[in-house]
Amino acid sequence: MLPVTAADPGFAVYVHWPFCKSKCPYCDFNSHVRERIDHDRWRAGLLRELDHYAGLTAGRTVTSIFFGGGTPSLMEPATVGALIEGVAARWPVADRLEVTLEANPTSVEADKFRAFRSAGVNRVSLGIQALDDASLRFLGRQHSAAEATGAIELAASTFDRFSFDLIYARPGQTVAAWEAELTRALDYAVGHLSVYQLTIEEGTAFYPLHARGELVLPDDELAGDLYEATLGRLAAAGLPAYEISNHARPGEESRHNLTYWRYGDYVGIGPGAHGRLTLDGGKVATRAHRAPEIWLERVERAGHGAAAPEPIGRDARGTELLMMGLRLTEGVPLARIAEEAGRPFEEFVDPAALSRLVDGGFLVRDAARLRATPDGLQRLNAVLGALLA
């Protein structure tokens, strides 16, 4: 049995490494470029913040660790190993602990991948994003298509489990071209593939170009066609969607991300990291300072870089659960909504809106569960806005 189930979402640890070689023009993650990094100091800081959260959550069983960023494959394997050992020294860990590390093709090579595997990483997630050189240049990626496929092959030969990301709805992209790219991706995707629609976020290099009309994305109709093509092509290949943007063969789902989407507890370590923790019967949100140097100074001074935990009220808990859980094709148990919201499901949502969404083919409700249909998943922000109004 997997250590993460719908009934028991698990307890996860997220470690944020905030550094990249360069900033991609579409990226709004907390990532920074630095000429020099004191790896010993950063290792000590991350371990110290781990101590802080271990003191708050003693006795919990960790089901997954995820190194995200930034570009965690720029970390020294010794730092990754120290953190994995640090988690196991501070908490009980599941027998089938999933340990994922994000990597870019430009920051991997055979010896380093072997070192990460020796350090305890058993799953990698590769930021491929596209499989043709022109699209990679547009996306600001530092690797070529040949380097991308080489990195996938290296991951497949080194780790038991791996995934990679692609971005669609790029300017000028057609359904036929995207289907051809998916077909090529399926030559390499063994168990898991993440496929994200390109969106323009404020604060990114793409944002002013889009605002001036110099960067034009596919319209809603074409974006919908691309999404439906993704669902159909990957399902036919045995990788059905289990979440809006994530596809996997049964049993190959990301256990760490399932903890998020099933609204389980997780510790967030590192600059800008968020967490959700159940403490003393209530749920709190944790959030670390985003600036790497300020975070590190605070950790060295106070033992952590986080602001004071913020209590999450019952209504907010129910809302967060629906926002996360309806992303999953399995949906959300009604009993869980009542548990988090502190009142029956029928009293938490707008019943008239629920009826309209069900009748319109966007939601399905049975005796135990609420889930979004494919049409509902494609329009989930609007569905949630109507349901929670």
Side-chain angles (χ1 to χ4, degrees):
M1 180 178 292
L2 294 179
V4 174
T5 66
D8 181 4
F11 176 62
V13 174
Y14 173 79
V15 179
H16 190 79
W17 183 256
F19 304 115
C20 284
K21 284 187 175 180
S22 63
K23 185 80 171 179
C24 295
Y26 57 84
C27 177
D28 68 337
F29 293 166
N30 187 34
S31 59
H32 307 264
V33 178
R34 298 289 186 268
E35 287 187 10
R36 287 192 300 273
I37 298 167
D38 186 337
H39 285 270
D40 290 341
R41 189 180 174 201
W42 273 88
R43 184 184 308 129
L46 290 166
L47 286 167
R48 190 164 184 202
E49 190 164 69
L50 206 62
D51 276 333
H52 169 71
Y53 285 106
L56 296 175
T57 57
R60 301 290 301 270
T61 297
V62 175
T63 50
S64 65
I65 305 170
F66 194 102
F67 293 90
T71 307
S73 49
L74 295 175
M75 298 174 75
E76 292 183 344
T79 299
V80 172
L83 285 160
I84 295 169
E85 291 174 2
V87 168
R90 290 161 175 80
W91 290 278
V93 298
D95 291 338
R96 296 179 63 188
L97 178 70
E98 178 187 84
V99 183
T100 301
L101 181 134
E102 291 182 333
N104 279 338
T106 50
S107 62
V108 302
E109 37 82 17
D111 286 344
K112 196 167 190 182
F113 259 13
R114 283 193 290 265
F116 284 133
R117 184 190 63 192
S118 297
V121 174
N122 53 34
R123 182 178 182 271
V124 291
S125 178
L126 292 165
I128 300 300
Q129 316 309 3
L131 290 173
D132 69 273
D133 289 338
S135 294
L136 289 168
R137 286 191 295 272
F138 163 73
L139 293 169
R141 306 298 288 168
Q142 301 298 305
H143 62 271
S144 67
E147 287 173 315
T149 55
I152 297 170
E153 290 170 345
L154 179 59
S157 67
T158 308
F159 300 95
D160 292 336
R161 300 176 66 212
F162 71 93
S163 179
F164 60 93
D165 299 351
L166 294 175
I167 292 175
Y168 73 99
R170 307 187 296 259
Q173 191 172 40
T174 65
V175 172
W178 176 232
E179 287 182 331
E181 190 169 0
L182 285 175
T183 297
R184 188 175 179 209
L186 287 166
D187 290 338
Y188 300 93
V190 174
H192 193 286
L193 183 65
S194 298
V195 185
Y196 300 103
Q197 182 176 335
L198 178 61
T199 56
I200 305 301
E201 305 295 342
E202 191 168 358
T204 66
F206 275 168
Y207 186 81
L209 297 176
H210 185 259
R212 294 195 299 267
E214 297 174 22
L215 191 163
V216 180
L217 299 184
D219 60 25
D220 288 345
E221 182 178 355
L222 177 53
D225 291 342
L226 291 164
Y227 176 77
E228 290 172 4
T230 304
L231 292 182
R233 184 69 185 87
L234 296 184
L239 277 77
Y242 70 99
E243 189 267 348
I244 288 177
S245 302
N246 287 272
H247 302 252
R249 299 191 190 282
E252 288 297 317
E253 300 87 353
S254 167
R255 299 168 202 166
H256 184 87
N257 286 335
L258 281 173
T259 295
Y260 295 161
W261 294 320
R262 289 171 174 162
Y263 204 48
D265 280 10
Y266 60 97
V267 164
I269 302 294
H274 290 245
R276 291 290 185 275
L277 299 173
T278 302
L279 302 175
D280 300 322
K283 199 142 189 167
V284 300
T286 65
R287 177 177 52 83
H289 199 285
R290 288 176 58 87
E293 290 76 16
I294 294 175
W295 173 87
L296 188 53
E297 290 170 1
R298 290 186 176 184
V299 170
E300 290 172 339
R301 184 175 65 249
H304 64 88
E310 299 178 8
I312 306 173
R314 284 293 194 175
D315 277 359
R317 285 167 62 172
T319 296
E320 287 188 344
L321 171 62
L322 277 175
M323 291 177 67
M324 298 301 285
L326 283 180
R327 297 179 64 89
L328 292 166
T329 56
E330 71 183 21
V332 187
L334 300 180
R336 184 77 193 285
I337 299 171
E339 176 189 350
E340 294 293 348
R343 50 186 163 138
F345 169 72
E346 291 78 9
E347 296 179 12
F348 180 66
V349 299
D350 180 342
L354 175 62
S355 180
R356 290 195 301 273
L357 290 166
V358 170
D359 292 343
F362 301 107
L363 291 175
V364 173
R365 179 192 173 179
D366 59 28
R369 187 172 290 272
L370 181 72
R371 63 178 179 85
T373 65
D375 283 345
L377 287 169
Q378 193 174 336
R379 302 163 179 82
L380 188 57
N381 288 340
V383 169
L384 287 167
L387 189 62
L388 297 169

